[in-house]
Structure formats: C-alpha cells, structure tokens
Amino acid sequence: MAWAENHRRYKGDVSKLMVVMGVSIACFGMLLLAIIAYAGWNSNQAAVVRERQLVENAINRSILAQLNEQKSIAWWDDAMTNIRGDYLDLEWIDGNFGYFLTETYGHDEVYILGPDLKPTYAFFEGERRDSESYQLRANELAPVIAEVHTGQPSGLITRPNTFEVGEYQFLSAGSRRARWGGHILKVNGRAAVVAAMTIEPNIDMSLARANPHMLVSVRFMDEDLIKSIGESLLLPDLALRTAPLRNDGIVAHEFTGDDGSGLGVLTWKTRRPGHVLLTVILPLVALGIVLAMVTAFNMLRRLRRASNELAAREASAIYQAKHDSLSGLPNRPHFVERLGEFLAARKSGELPTGARAIAAYIDVDRFKDINDTLGHHAGDQLIKVVAERLQARLRPEDFLARFGGDEFAILCAPANADGGAALGRRVARAFASPFVIDGQNVRVTASVGIAIAPDHGETADDVMRHADIALYEAKAQGRDRAVHFSIEMAKAVEERRRIEIDLRAALETDQLSLHYQPLVCARTHHIVGLEALLRWRHPERGDIPPGSFIPIAEDSGLMPALGEWILNRAMNDSKRWPDLEMSINLSPVQFRHVDLEALLRRAALEHEADPTRFILEITEGVLLDAGERTKSMLGAIRAMGFKTALDDFGTGYSSLAYLSDFKFDKIKIDRAFVRGVAKSNVSKSIVQAVSTLGKGLGMDIVAEGVETESEALMMAHFGCTELQGYLFSKPIAADALDKLLETYEPLKPIAAPPTAAPAAARAAASVAPSGGGGA
C-alpha cells in the first residue's frame, strides 16, 4: 500500500510537472519569438541609420579629397611665380592646373580668381576657356568664394572640417595663411562638389602676397563619382535619382545641397542584416519550440529510467574520483579524507586521547630510470606490482594509496609507539626481492618519510607536509631508507625557504656583490687573470657563503636570473682591468633552462665586451648528460669568441673523454689535489698526468687553492701554467683589487718546469674516477 501511494504521488507529480513544463515552454517560446522579431526589425533599422551616416561621411570625404587634390598644386612656390597679378603663364597653368586637375583627378571645371575675385583663368571640357565664362557660374559658386575670401561662414551648412594641412605645416608659415572651403551645391542644375583654396607659397615666403589668387574647381556628382562612393561603402547600387524607388529593401535618402536646395534622392539596397532573423531564424525557432514541447514530454517519460542510470553512474564517478586508475588504489583526495576523518574523530572524543596514526610517504627510488630504459609500459607494470607487494605486507586496517607517478602513501590508524619503525621494516621487506617485469628481474628500493598524527600536525595538510619533508630527507641521506620527521627537518626546510625569499629580495635590493680572486702566471707570478666569485652580505645575518645559497637558487629557479646578474656585473667591472682575463662560473641550470647563447650575445653587446677576454667555467655536472644541445651550446660559445674552462677537474667522474670530446681552453685542478701533492704520490701522479695530457691537447692548466710557496713551486714544476689561491690573494672587492694591482709585488719567478717524466705520461693514461670535496 505504501508503495502504491508513493507511486500514485509520483505519477501526480509527473502530470503536474508536464503541465507546468508545457505552459512554461509556451510562454518562453512566445517571448523568444517576440525578441527575435524585434531584434530583426531593429537590426534592419539600425543598418539603415548606419548606412545613411556612411553615405554622408563618404560625401564629406569627397569634399576632403577634392581639397587635398587642390592642395597638391595650390600651395606651391612655382604656382606663385607663374600666377601673379601682372603675369599669367597660361601654358604652365594649363599643364599644372587645368589638365592636371581634370585628367588626373576628374575635376570638371577649374577657375582661378584674382585678388579682386575677378576671373583670370577658366578650364573645362578639356580645354582653356575665356575667363569671363566664369560668370556663368559666379552666382552659384559665390557662397563658397565668399567663405574662402572672408574666412567667415556664408550661410551654407557647416560640414565637418577634416581637411588637414599635413606636412606643409613643417615647411613654412604659408599654410597658416591659407584659407579653403568645400561644399555640395547645385551647379547648372546638377549636384556638384565645389572646393576653393587660396594659392600660397610652400617654402619661399617672400612670394607671399596680402591678397592671394584663389583656385576654384567643380566636380559634378555624376554616375562615376556616385558609383565610386558606393563601391567604397560596399553599396554597389548606390545611385542619385530625381525620384525615390519604391522597391522592397531600397533606401531613399533625400539629398540636399549645403544651401538647402534639393539635389535629388540617393538610393541603394540596404543590407538588411535582420532579414535572416525574420525569414529564416524566426520560423525555425517556432518549429524548434514545438519540437521542444514534444521532446520535453518524451523526456519526462524517460525520467525514471534516467534517474536510475544516473545514480549508478554517480556511484561509479565517486569511486573513480577517489581511486587511481592504474593501480586501483585510493588516491590522494581519498587519503586526505581518511586522515581528516581520523583527526576529526580524535578531536571529537570518538577515539581515545592517546590514539595515534602513522602517515608514510613512499617514493620508488630511481623510477625514472626504469621508464627511460625499459619504457613506460614497464614502469606501469612496476607500479601495479609494487602496489600488490605493499598491500600484501600491510594489516587489513591499514590504508594504502597512490598519489601518482612513483609515490605511494600509507595510513596506519590506530598505531602504537613503535609502529613507524615496524612500518618501515615492512616496506623494506616488500622491496627486498626483485620484481619480475616483462620476464626481467628488476631490483628497486624505496625511500620512506614518516610522520605521526597528531604529534606532527593537527590537520591533514600539516601531517602530510611533514611526511613529505621526511621523505625529502630520506632521499638526501642516500635513498633506500625510512626517516621519521623531526622539528629540525622542518627548521631546515624553513631555513631554505627563508634563504630563497631573502635571495629574491637580494637580487632586487643590490645586496649581492662580486669579489675577484687573481690568477697568476705559474713561472713569473704576475697577475694574468681574475675569477669572479659571488658574495651575499645579508642585512641581518651578515655574509652568507655561496655554498649555502647557490644550491637553493638552483632548486628554486632563481639561478637563471642570478647567473644573468653575475654575467652583467662581471662584464661591466672588467672594463676597470682591460689587460686581465675574466673567469665567470656557469651553473648547469643555465645550460638547461636559459637561452645562454642569446644571453651572452646580449651582455657582450650591452657592455661592449670583447668575448676573447672571458673564460666561462663549467663543471663536470654539465657534461654528465651532455646531449646534442649541450655540445651545440659549447660550440656556439666558442664560436662567439668566449673561452671555456673545465672547473674542479678530478672531483667528479674525471672522464678523459670530456677532454677529447669537448674543446676546452683551460683545465682547473681542484685544490684537494693541490694540498695532497706533498703527501700523496697519487695526487702528485694525477696532477702530473692532467698537466701532461692538457698541455698535449693545447690547454692551460690552472691549480686552485695554492696557499704556500712550496705548493706553488711544485705546481709549476708539474706543468701547471696558472696558479690561484690565498698565497697570492683571497677574493676581494673591486675597489680593493684596484689597490692590490697598484701595490702587488710578484713572488720570486720560478724557472721553466723540466720535461715531464715518462711516469707522468703513463699516469695520464690511467686517471681513474675520483671523489672529493672541491670548492
């Protein structure tokens, strides 16, 4: 009975809905039809108004055009010379006024009036006429003549003054003396453009006269002129008629002269943009409304079935929104929701006060290598197998999610005090045995960052952020380990963030500076070059070492801007020491993310710097993944004239292939080997080998970190060509360097080094990769 009552009510509701919908559609349809009809009618009316205005504007432009055509000859020194009160060169006037205006611009009649307004020249119907023939037009042209002569309105309709003096205003003051005027009048019973203008000099103002001659021209608005106006307005059927046409869509515009006389009727076929609305859209909309009413009733019948289908799809969408499509595990939003539920339940008292939850971030180490070597398909397979392996190691109540890429997360709630360590061991066991991917055994490890809720955060965002910080620390410690979050980690992250913010401000507030450390010749100890080294004096913390902020600049995206600042400052300062080479360090980030070639060209051009004076130092990190772009960039740098140096050679992979694949001008031996030559035969052999090999390839060898005279002596004898270190000078500011260069006294010169021993040559063939803490 209850079901029947509910069903009856549902049917009644549907019937009411159908009536309401039918009335609503009918009312809406009528309103829509009225709006379309009004829009069509109004659009047509607006088009007519717009076209009338366009026609009027075009007529005004025809007057402007005639004035500009007159201006080309009326404001001319030659015209002043050949048209004078005591002399008229009629042949010259024929060629430059009569024929020119009639044949070039289509003027029908051309007259020249003297200072007393008496006609002195007439030209029409293709030839010069008796000047007295002007009297036939005198009365009709009189208003325009009077307006130009007096400079005052003569009772004609005032048209927009769009005539511009143009370039003549820069040639002389003659244009400021000139007067002109143009109007539409009835001449000889026909509509005509009448323009008049005083004849003035354009350069030689000595030719100017108090009462100048006046040029007058008439152009009848015949079929050709009206047609050209119509074509310019996209109204090809524009015509001047004596009476209006009464055809559908034809606009009749009463055309009157500026003296109020009727000139006829301008007619054209309007575009009628609303015609389509009224004849096509309106019937279609009416049909559509009828169809909409029919469709609406059919849709109501399908409402129940669609409702059921929608409910099913909604459930599926909710599941998909909370789960990862590849692994089938819950995703980040679902994980956040579950962690939030735990924290809310604990706060509300539903869980005991001492209840804890463990949030662990898991990152598959070097997952990118799997994708790059085996392909993305293998990477997807690995993600699925890792998900299964982790799920098998967890308790039923634990919650495993995938955040995307190679990141997973585990929520253990509730958890005991040592649950974090136990979870770390379970994850390690999950990765202990190899994974079988496409028939291949693949060994991978995982880094884990662990945070405890609520100890490490009262909100889900805080707990997850701290787990992420712990994961970052696990990777920094060498991967393949689980690390618990600590306050010190957060402080370190905050410190990095604060340094990043302050470094951005330092770039804008000139807190940065460059210090310069000299490079000296190994034999003479004369200063031959400088290395630019970045320094940062913080207004509150004092000097911050580059090793503290350069890595942060590289990670945060500040390095391109910082590198550009260094380059510009070093090039600008180098002008103070034109006889010394300047070494500038380039970061690997600049090779990856900066159009380095364009930057170097722009900086050299801006500072008028000679590229051959600059040595750009790069580390082996740039060459580890050297592709075609890196090789091309190094080639372009050398092609511009810049020199290159391989910095800190010996601290990384020290591959001899670098020296053969890339042409360097210098090799800089790291100071760790310089310090060790006195105590270590290995260091001595490496220095000798690098020196022998580098010199054989035509490279200079620079020893860094020379602090004692004995080190300088040994480096010179081992074949180093340049020395750098505190023995000669620490890095100093530019002003201090100026003083140093004035007072510098070289150490006692060292004799030329002996020929390298055969043992050194043998050592050059066996340089092995080495590690070290180069500066």
Side-chain angles (χ1 to χ4, degrees):
M1 291 295 293
W3 178 86
E5 179 65 19
N6 290 336
H7 182 65
R8 185 185 63 79
R9 289 180 179 176
Y10 175 78
K11 289 180 64 178
D13 291 342
V14 170
S15 298
K16 291 179 181 178
L17 182 60
M18 292 176 67
V19 172
V20 172
M21 183 173 290
V23 173
S24 299
I25 292 176
C27 293
F28 173 76
M30 295 299 294
L31 178 61
L32 183 59
L33 292 174
I35 291 174
I36 293 174
Y38 175 76
W41 175 84
N42 188 63
S43 179
N44 287 340
Q45 295 302 310
V48 171
V49 172
R50 184 171 59 255
E51 289 167 357
R52 289 179 188 273
Q53 186 60 50
L54 288 174
V55 170
E56 284 292 337
N57 291 342
I59 292 172
N60 289 336
R61 286 197 299 274
S62 68
I63 299 173
L64 171 63
Q66 193 156 320
L67 285 170
N68 277 313
E69 291 158 6
Q70 288 184 343
K71 179 182 71 175
S72 65
I73 57 173
W75 296 354
W76 188 16
D77 287 355
D78 287 1
M80 297 297 297
T81 302
N82 291 283
I83 302 174
R84 303 195 302 268
D86 58 345
Y87 173 73
L88 291 177
D89 189 337
L90 295 177
E91 291 185 1
W92 187 92
I93 298 172
D94 284 343
N96 292 279
F97 278 71
Y99 288 111
F100 180 73
L101 289 177
T102 57
E103 295 186 4
T104 303
Y105 294 123
H107 297 201
D108 293 293
E109 298 179 2
V110 177
Y111 302 100
I112 296 178
L113 306 183
D116 56 358
L117 300 184
K118 291 182 179 181
T120 61
Y121 178 80
F123 190 100
F124 52 87
E125 295 180 354
E127 61 184 12
R128 186 195 318 151
R129 301 288 183 166
D130 187 336
S131 60
E132 290 304 318
S133 60
Y134 168 78
Q135 299 303 330
L136 298 175
R137 303 281 187 260
N139 291 335
E140 295 171 315
L141 305 183
V144 178
I145 304 303
E147 182 177 303
V148 175
H149 181 68
T150 63
Q152 299 297 323
S154 59
L156 299 178
I157 294 174
T158 301
R159 290 187 175 270
N161 183 15
T162 57
F163 178 70
E164 296 180 354
V165 173
E167 66 272 15
Y168 291 98
Q169 61 188 350
F170 302 109
L171 296 176
S172 73
S175 59
R176 292 192 292 272
R177 302 178 64 254
R179 297 187 298 276
W180 59 83
H183 289 278
I184 303 295
L185 298 175
K186 179 181 287 188
V187 178
N188 198 24
R190 301 165 60 189
V193 179
V194 179
M197 175 178 296
T198 57
I199 299 175
E200 304 286 354
N202 67 328
I203 296 177
D204 186 359
M205 292 308 299
S206 65
L207 299 175
R209 293 186 288 273
N211 295 310
H213 284 70
M214 185 184 303
L215 170 64
V216 183
S217 66
V218 177
R219 184 176 183 183
F220 293 109
M221 302 186 73
D222 53 16
E223 182 178 350
D224 291 340
L225 179 57
I226 296 298
K227 184 177 180 180
S228 67
I229 292 174
E231 289 175 348
S232 70
L233 301 176
L234 301 181
L235 299 173
D237 55 349
L238 180 68
L240 179 59
R241 305 176 187 275
T242 57
L245 295 179
R246 298 302 180 186
N247 294 342
D248 184 36
I250 298 297
V251 176
H253 179 68
E254 193 72 27
F255 188 33
T256 59
D258 292 350
D259 58 356
S261 61
L263 301 178
V265 178
L266 287 170
T267 63
W268 66 89
K269 188 172 183 178
T270 182
R271 295 189 181 92
R272 294 196 295 176
H275 184 69
V276 174
L277 281 175
L278 296 174
T279 60
V280 178
I281 304 300
L282 189 62
L284 289 177
V285 171
L287 178 60
I289 292 172
V290 174
L291 292 176
M293 295 180 66
V294 175
T295 303
F297 285 107
N298 288 332
M299 289 178 61
L300 286 172
R301 288 200 302 267
R302 300 177 184 178
L303 181 61
R304 179 177 294 177
R305 184 176 64 185
S307 178
N308 294 336
E309 293 176 354
L310 180 61
R313 287 197 298 269
E314 183 179 0
S316 175
I318 291 174
Y319 180 86
Q320 293 177 11
K322 291 187 176 184
H323 289 77
D324 172 56
S325 59
L326 177 61
S327 64
L329 295 175
N331 57 14
R332 178 187 290 269
H334 199 177
F335 185 90
V336 174
E337 180 183 331
R338 184 63 67 90
L339 178 57
E341 290 173 354
F342 169 81
L343 293 172
R346 186 181 182 280
K347 188 174 182 179
S348 65
E350 297 179 24
L351 293 176
T353 304
R356 297 285 185 275
I358 298 172
Y361 272 20
I362 303 170
D363 188 273
V364 180
D365 296 333
R366 307 195 187 283
F367 177 74
K368 182 178 182 296
D369 295 342
I370 303 295
N371 272 336
D372 292 344
T373 55
L374 301 180
H376 289 280
H377 173 72
D380 291 345
Q381 288 296 111
L382 179 61
I383 291 298
K384 293 179 182 178
V385 178
V386 167
E388 294 172 0
R389 190 85 65 86
L390 287 173
Q391 193 72 66
R393 293 287 179 176
L394 298 179
R395 303 174 303 176
E397 62 270 23
D398 293 338
F399 188 79
L400 175 64
R402 179 183 178 230
F403 282 5
D406 59 345
E407 294 185 358
F408 294 85
I410 298 173
L411 177 63
C412 298
N416 52 32
D418 61 345
L423 178 60
R425 290 192 294 270
R426 291 203 299 272
V427 172
R429 287 196 295 270
F431 285 84
S433 57
F435 296 87
V436 180
I437 306 296
D438 290 339
Q440 301 184 54
N441 287 338
V442 177
R443 288 188 174 274
V444 295
T445 58
S447 301
V448 185
I450 297 173
I452 308 297
D455 300 16
H456 298 149
E458 294 286 344
T459 66
D461 286 344
D462 286 344
V463 175
M464 294 172 66
R465 179 166 55 85
H466 292 154
D468 195 31
I469 291 173
L471 175 61
Y472 179 86
E473 183 65 23
K475 292 180 179 180
Q477 291 182 14
R479 308 176 189 271
D480 189 20
R481 66 195 65 223
V483 172
H484 288 69
F485 172 77
S486 67
I487 298 299
E488 288 72 19
M489 294 179 193
K491 290 180 179 178
V493 171
E494 180 62 25
E495 176 67 11
R496 287 175 60 87
R497 188 186 69 83
R498 189 179 298 111
I499 289 178
E500 177 186 342
I501 294 173
D502 290 349
L503 185 55
R504 291 183 188 275
L507 269 171
E508 300 174 357
T509 57
D510 203 28
Q511 296 176 21
L512 302 176
S513 63
L514 289 184
H515 282 197
Y516 298 93
Q517 187 172 32
L519 284 79
V520 303
C521 174
R523 289 192 301 106
T524 65
H525 290 172
H526 284 93
I527 296 176
V528 294
L530 305 167
E531 180 178 2
L533 299 169
L534 182 63
R535 294 294 183 262
W536 178 15
R537 173 157 292 180
H538 193 282
E540 298 176 0
R541 305 183 187 185
D543 292 331
I544 299 179
S548 298
F549 66 84
I550 291 295
I552 295 175
E554 293 179 332
D555 291 341
S556 63
L558 276 172
M559 199 62 225
L562 198 59
E564 183 174 357
W565 184 91
I566 294 171
L567 191 65
N568 281 297
R569 178 59 64 88
M571 285 191 174
N572 186 61
D573 286 353
S574 69
K575 300 173 185 178
R576 303 169 68 166
W577 315 292
D579 298 328
L580 301 179
E581 289 186 331
M582 177 71 73
S583 296
I584 303 173
N585 292 282
L586 295 181
S587 165
V589 175
Q590 290 175 273
F591 273 80
R592 292 195 298 269
H593 301 294
V594 176
D595 188 351
L596 187 57
E597 182 179 356
L599 173 61
L600 290 171
R601 289 187 187 279
R602 186 169 60 250
L605 182 63
E606 179 180 344
H607 298 287
E608 299 179 348
D610 179 7
T612 59
R613 288 185 53 214
F614 294 88
I615 300 99
L616 304 180
E617 298 186 6
I618 65 172
T619 61
E620 295 176 39
V622 174
L623 308 177
L624 286 177
D625 298 317
E628 288 302 320
R629 183 179 182 277
T630 300
K631 294 179 181 178
S632 174
M633 182 65 70
L634 287 171
I637 289 174
R638 292 180 61 84
M640 283 188 281
F642 290 97
K643 299 177 183 177
T644 56
L646 182 59
D647 196 15
D648 296 338
F649 188 78
T651 60
Y653 288 93
S654 304
S655 173
L656 298 181
Y658 297 154
L659 304 183
S660 59
D661 292 345
F662 304 96
K663 294 182 179 179
F664 292 101
D665 297 282
K666 291 185 179 183
I667 300 174
K668 301 191 75 171
I669 299 175
D670 187 73
R671 60 185 174 187
F673 297 104
V674 175
R675 293 175 183 172
V677 290
K679 302 177 182 178
S680 170
N681 288 330
V682 174
S683 295
K684 183 186 301 182
S685 296
I686 289 176
V687 172
Q688 288 179 308
V690 173
S691 297
T692 302
L693 181 60
K695 292 175 69 176
L697 295 173
M699 303 177 187
D700 289 332
I701 311 300
V702 182
E704 295 183 297
V706 177
E707 298 184 357
T708 66
E709 292 189 25
S710 62
E711 289 175 351
L713 179 64
M714 283 187 287
M715 291 298 105
H717 281 291
F718 290 155
C720 293
T721 54
E722 294 179 8
L723 307 176
Q724 179 181 359
Y726 276 30
L727 175 63
F728 309 102
S729 173
K730 65 180 181 180
I732 55 179
D735 292 340
L737 179 61
D738 287 334
K739 296 179 181 178
L740 174 67
L741 294 175
E742 293 175 359
T743 60
Y744 178 76
E745 293 290 340
L747 299 176
K748 181 180 179 181
I750 299 173
T755 304
R762 290 195 299 273
S766 59
V767 177
S770 62

